[in-house]
Amino acid sequence: MRAIADGRLEATRTFADEMYFCLGCLACIDGVSGGVNYAELFEHARAEAESSGVLKSPRRNLIRAFAIRWLFMT
């Protein structure tokens, strides 16, 4: 995550999948080395996974559009 956040690596499909397998509950934060702001690193990593577009597909777009309409129906 650090290498991608620093721009030293490109986001790949595997990386993006891993970012979405994680729930982001931060229960693992106690196991992370001191001084590492895991929450901020995770947010940037997931944002990079989205902005890279490696997960885009017609099926994913349809599911997301349906979910957003369902969640925010007026």
Side-chain angles (χ1 to χ4, degrees), residues 1 15 18-24 41-51:
M1 285 191 315
F15 171 76
E18 287 298 322
M19 289 298 97
Y20 281 95
F21 290 148
C22 176
L23 298 175
L41 201 58
F42 179 74
E43 286 178 27
H44 287 291
R46 198 172 263 184
E48 183 62 33
E50 275 301 314
S51 67

Side-chain angles (χ1 to χ4, degrees), residues 2-44:
R2 173 60 68 190
I4 289 176
D6 291 344
R8 292 182 283 138
L9 286 177
E10 294 287 322
T12 63
R13 170 107 187 164
T14 303
F15 171 76
D17 284 341
E18 287 298 322
M19 289 298 97
Y20 281 95
F21 290 148
C22 176
L23 298 175
C25 67
L26 303 178
C28 63
I29 206 155
D30 292 333
V32 177
S33 303
V36 175
N37 187 346
Y38 182 75
E40 183 179 339
L41 201 58
F42 179 74
E43 286 178 27
H44 287 291

